[in-house]
Amino acid sequence: MKMWEGRFSQKNAPAMERFNRSLGFDKRLIAEDIAGSVAYARALAKAGLLSKNEAAAIVRGLDKMRSHPAALRFTAADEDIHMAIERILSERIGTPGKKLHTGRSRNSQIALDTRLYLKKEIYSLDAALRTLMRAVLTRAEKTTTVIMPAFTHLQKAQPVLMAHYFLSWFFMLERDLRRFSQCLVTVDVLPLGSGALAGSAYPIDRAFLARALGFSAMSDNSIDAVSDRDYMLEFMSCAAITAMHLSRFAEDLVIFSSPGYGFFELADAYATGSSMMPNKKNPDSLELVRGKTGRVYGNLVTLLTVMKGLPLTYNKDMQEDKEPLFDTIDTLDGCLEIFTGVLDTLTVNPERVAAMLSADLLATDLADALTKNKTPFREAHAIVGRIVRDCAQKGVPLETLTHADLRKYSPRVPGTFSFCYHTSIAARSLPGGTGSSSVRAQICKARTILKRKTYDI
Ligand code: ARG
């Protein structure tokens, strides 16, 4: 017998029962569902709707379910986790169990469970992101003297310290961390007490519920509380941005560990072979991180589409929120774990990095030298452009040009100028630049960020 069958004279078609059922995936919310019911039973007792003994029986029954989840026998008639828990409780403890749903609706229950679940997941994501950031920082700390070419358009651009490069990831991830903590503000709101949509007809102490369940705020409007899934969408948007970042870092590592570059080598633990070509060692870990970004974006678009144009308040369409949400959480967890592993075990080949340095990376420095010697930058740019073009035409590397050669293009080339990567880097010591002092300051800041416990979460 289903809980809502009173109004019905015929059974659901078996296909309808299967189609309607969310238990297969929402059983993941069992701990949250039970926690919500424990708090709700106490609130009912506080409001005089349950005797002390009845409330105690409910709490005992729920606690037992929480500690022995394997003993829970679900049936085909259990539509979702809420109905399953209530049914099993009622079967086990009798009448008090049948009073638990007084003034409560699954519409507020599901909003409660997913908010509780998401809060927990945001904390664990915060920890996973910090672990990755620590791995990134360690890489930066170990590469403060390695000079590498940096790229725009995948063309060699300018020399930077490899530490500076890794720190760029750190600060991107730091913003991800902050975004998730900001999202927590939206998530951390108690919806329970909203009834089905209009609020509860019973004097439920919602402030008590919020305290008992660890929420910082309670919803201001019952219609809003059961209707919206923006808290999930906000989380999934944050996840999409983080996945985008990870996909770019992964792609950089794929490129930099490819034979043409050889800057890095992946540990065997994070690479795979080919079933046919014995010579292959492929960066599948990174390719999967890159590829799984598609799922994270897809999940966001799925839920945005499910929610689009839905009339207020609750509609069953919204049951479609959980699978993309859970998949996003699982996918991001996996990506963060794997990426951290890849980074922790990566080998850096400084000789290969150095082998890719060439004086064309210093063309901007030559233009800067002219500019500092009273040539307007635009003219300096054109002069150096001609030098680079002539070298390319003659097939001679820029670094082979003598001072006298350079002076033929402009008498303003200072006598002190030489093609030097260290000088180029040292010149960029302003805050945020690749100069050693700036990189040291960034490392200090990064360490402080990781020491700070949380962003208010
Ligand atoms: N299983 C439902 C969901 O995930 C719970 C809420 C059901 N509410 C209802 N009125 N049918 O959305």
Side-chain angles (χ1 to χ4, degrees), residues 4 20-23 25-26 29 79-83 105-111 114 196 229 314-322:
W4 42 256
N20 191 31
R21 202 162 187 248
S22 57
L23 187 65
F25 46 88
D26 67 15
L29 300 169
E79 202 173 295
D80 53 29
I81 189 66
H82 326 296
M83 289 176 98
S105 157
R106 285 182 293 154
N107 299 353
S108 29
Q109 237 183 317
I110 189 59
T114 48
R229 293 292 180 265
Y314 178 85
N315 304 269
K316 197 59 173 261
D317 314 45
M318 287 151 72
Q319 182 162 284
E320 292 294 311
D321 58 0
K322 280 165 282 297

